[in-house]
Every structure is written in structure tokens, then in C-alpha cells.
Amino acid sequence: MRGTTWTRRLALAGSGSAACLLALAPLASAQTTSPAPVAPITLSPEESQQVCGDWVPKLQKRADNLEKRINGGPEVAGSVANLKARAQDQRTAGHNDRATKLDERATKRQGKVGELTTAKQKLDAFASAHCKPAAPAPTK
């Protein structure tokens, strides 16, 4: 009987201290202003070859295709011009709420062009810095 009392007290004390720590955790994290150090990522030659050979070209192609779609004409589904044309059709049909939503989507999509350009620049910088052609094997 005495063991169960001790266990209950220990459980209550542990619960109370855990609750206090949880309550103070946001305050402690708000006081720290320095960012946590970031460890560098290292790749083996095989992993680097896979990234440079597979992923970088795929991502570059995807970014190019997305840019073509966004800047396409009214006949290209998903383009800014297509969304604006659809908005005009909805406005003509008397659906002003739907037209407003389509105009907002067009504006938001046009804003993505800057982010896409930045991403393409980062990909190109990564490729030029890390994806160099393999040196020929020395001959004997």
C-alpha cells in the first residue's frame, strides 16, 4: 500500500513539473534571438552525380515549362491571360463574384514569376558551382 502512494506522488510531481516546463517553453524560445547553427550538407560523388545528372535538369525543365505556362496566351490553360479571359467571360455573363476570384488568381499567379525567376537563378548558380563535367580518367 505504501508503494502505491509513493508512485502516485511521484507521478503527480512529474506531471506538475512537465506542465511548468511546457508553459515556460514559449517564453524561453521567444528570448533566444540567435538562429541555430546550420550544419553543412555533404554529398558523396555518386550522390552529387545523381543530383547534377538527374535532379538539376528536371528542375530546370520544370521551371521553364511553368514559366511558359504562366506567360502563355489566352489559349494556354493556367496562364495569366487565360485567367483574365475567363474572368471577362464571367463578368459578361453577370457572375461578378466569380470574375473577381479569377482576377485575384491571375494577379497571384503573375506574382509567382518573380519567385520562379529567383528559383531558376539559384538552380543555375548551383549547377555552375557544383555540377562540373567529370575529369577524364588518367591514362597509363
Side-chain angles (χ1 to χ4, degrees):
M1 190 82 167
R2 189 171 178 170
T4 57
T5 306
W6 172 253
T7 307
R8 286 183 192 158
R9 287 183 188 168
L10 185 59
L12 287 174
S15 300
S17 61
C20 288
L21 286 175
L22 288 175
L24 295 176
L27 295 176
S29 65
Q31 292 175 356
T32 59
T33 57
S34 62
V38 178
I41 297 173
T42 56
L43 298 174
S44 69
E46 296 82 20
E47 292 170 331
S48 178
Q49 184 178 11
Q50 182 182 12
V51 168
C52 291
D54 295 339
W55 287 100
V56 171
K58 284 181 185 177
L59 290 173
Q60 287 173 332
K61 183 179 178 182
R62 190 173 185 175
D64 289 339
N65 289 342
L66 187 56
E67 185 177 35
K68 285 178 189 175
R69 173 177 277 182
I70 290 173
N71 294 326
E75 69 282 351
V76 178
S79 69
V80 173
N82 178 271
L83 288 170
K84 288 182 179 181
R86 288 173 51 198
Q88 185 59 40
D89 291 342
Q90 292 295 320
R91 202 170 280 110
T92 303
H95 305 290
N96 291 329
D97 291 342
R98 182 68 181 142
T100 302
K101 292 203 184 284
L102 287 168
D103 283 333
E104 289 171 358
R105 281 178 58 191
T107 303
K108 185 176 180 181
R109 189 149 306 157
Q110 185 65 43
K112 296 291 183 182
V113 172
E115 293 175 21
L116 187 59
T117 303
T118 303
K120 287 172 64 175
Q121 289 172 349
K122 287 181 180 180
L123 268 174
D124 292 340
F126 177 85
S128 65
H130 301 289
C131 299
K132 297 178 178 129
T139 57
K140 291 185 179 183

